[in-house]
Amino acid sequence: MQGSFIWYELMPTDAASAVEFYTRVVGWTAKDSGMPGAGYTIFCVPGFDMGVAGMMQLTDEMKARGIPPNWAGYVAVDDVDAMAKKFADHGGAVHHAPEDIPGVGRFAVVADPQGAVISLLKVIMPEGPMPPEPERGTPGTFGWVELMAGNGEEAFAFYQTMFGWEKDMAVDMGEMGTYQCFAKDGKVLGGMMTKPPMVSAPFWGYYITVEAIDAAAERVRQGGGKILFGPEAVPGGSFILQCQDPQGAYFALTASKR
């Protein structure tokens, strides 16, 4: 469905260490993608062959361009080339021009007018039945996406134009402003707000579901990661934790119990 997040991707400097950290913290299993020469790892929820995220080590060229370890989110679009042009025409930027991934689809890396980077993806649907995938809310799946924007209202208007996102619940955060949840065709996808002053630049963040937040926080610490914020209760009865992995990539966790 156009406008929905369909894939998440980690780009570390050391793939082997990243596998060790995330399999321990989240409980994922890791396997090679099977694409010759790709060096691409698939993270899976135990018991499911369908991956929930991927990983590709940063190349020397990427590091030379100043790209740090990071998590990326991919949004489904019907036409990658047209959407990349739409981003550029409305004040955004194209960081990686549309390109084919053999056997997978076509992608591009773009940024909104405030500089937050996001990826676009058109998937080649395989023939035959799809393998079963874990339900949303299962530990190991991605439970939320979040934009820390330069200006939350302007960012929402931009993405509404790009993807047709709709406003959902709005949460008054006091001096921090309004946290605006957004949806597509009635399905809530995530939230966005104007970033606090201590956040240096606008960015997209991604929340991975875990069973219990306190135990996950301890695994982050034991694995060499940092706790940036939380654990904290949020509206709806969930708990969140914002973190940095040992290589510096930002990620977040969410759980229904402490």
Side-chain angles (χ1 to χ4, degrees):
M1 181 177 68
Q2 174 152 303
S4 296
F5 285 83
I6 57 170
W7 192 245
Y8 305 89
E9 186 174 84
L10 173 64
M11 301 189 78
T13 52
D14 183 333
S17 294
V19 166
E20 183 178 352
F21 177 78
Y22 284 98
T23 54
R24 177 178 184 178
V25 169
V26 180
W28 284 329
T29 60
K31 64 181 182 180
D32 185 79
S33 66
M35 294 187 289
Y40 197 86
T41 298
I42 303 293
F43 289 118
C44 301
V45 173
F48 293 88
D49 290 332
M50 176 71 80
V52 293
M55 181 183 67
M56 181 180 72
Q57 186 166 298
L58 286 166
T59 64
D60 290 339
E61 185 269 337
M62 291 173 181
K63 288 184 280 189
R65 286 166 50 201
I67 298 175
N70 69 92
W71 274 98
Y74 286 75
V75 177
V77 296
D78 296 329
D79 186 327
V80 170
D81 295 69
M83 186 60 73
K85 183 178 185 301
K86 191 175 180 181
F87 262 72
D89 289 347
H90 286 77
V94 179
H95 288 325
H96 188 106
E99 181 181 348
D100 289 332
I101 308 171
V104 175
R106 189 166 178 81
F107 84 104
V109 181
V110 295
D112 65 29
Q114 299 172 30
V117 176
I118 199 167
S119 297
L120 311 172
L121 181 62
K122 168 69 174 178
V123 177
I124 298 173
M125 297 305 293
E127 295 182 2
M130 295 288 288
E133 55 184 301
E135 295 182 3
R136 187 174 181 180
T138 301
T141 60
F142 283 77
W144 195 250
V145 302
E146 185 174 80
L147 173 62
M148 289 286 118
N151 181 293
E153 290 186 7
E154 292 177 4
F156 178 82
F158 174 81
Y159 285 104
Q160 186 177 45
T161 300
M162 294 300 105
F163 301 133
W165 288 346
E166 309 139 2
K167 286 187 176 182
D168 196 83
M169 179 178 64
V171 181
D172 184 356
M173 304 284 287
E175 293 183 359
M176 294 181 67
T178 299
Y179 188 92
Q180 180 64 62
C181 298
F182 59 91
K184 177 72 173 181
D185 296 334
K187 178 184 177 183
V188 180
L189 302 177
M192 62 178 69
M193 65 179 292
T194 301
K195 68 178 183 65
M198 72 282 293
V199 176
S200 60
F203 72 96
W204 279 97
Y206 307 100
Y207 287 74
I208 308 162
T209 305
V210 291
E211 187 172 353
I213 208 72
D214 286 338
E218 184 58 29
R219 294 194 298 272
V220 170
R221 296 187 189 96
Q222 291 178 354
K226 295 179 181 178
I227 306 299
L228 304 177
F229 176 80
E232 183 78 12
V234 295
S238 296
F239 299 90
I240 63 168
L241 189 71
Q242 296 170 351
C243 314
Q244 190 176 60
D245 72 20
Q247 298 180 49
Y250 172 87
F251 71 103
L253 303 173
T254 180
S256 59
K257 62 182 181 180
R258 192 66 191 254

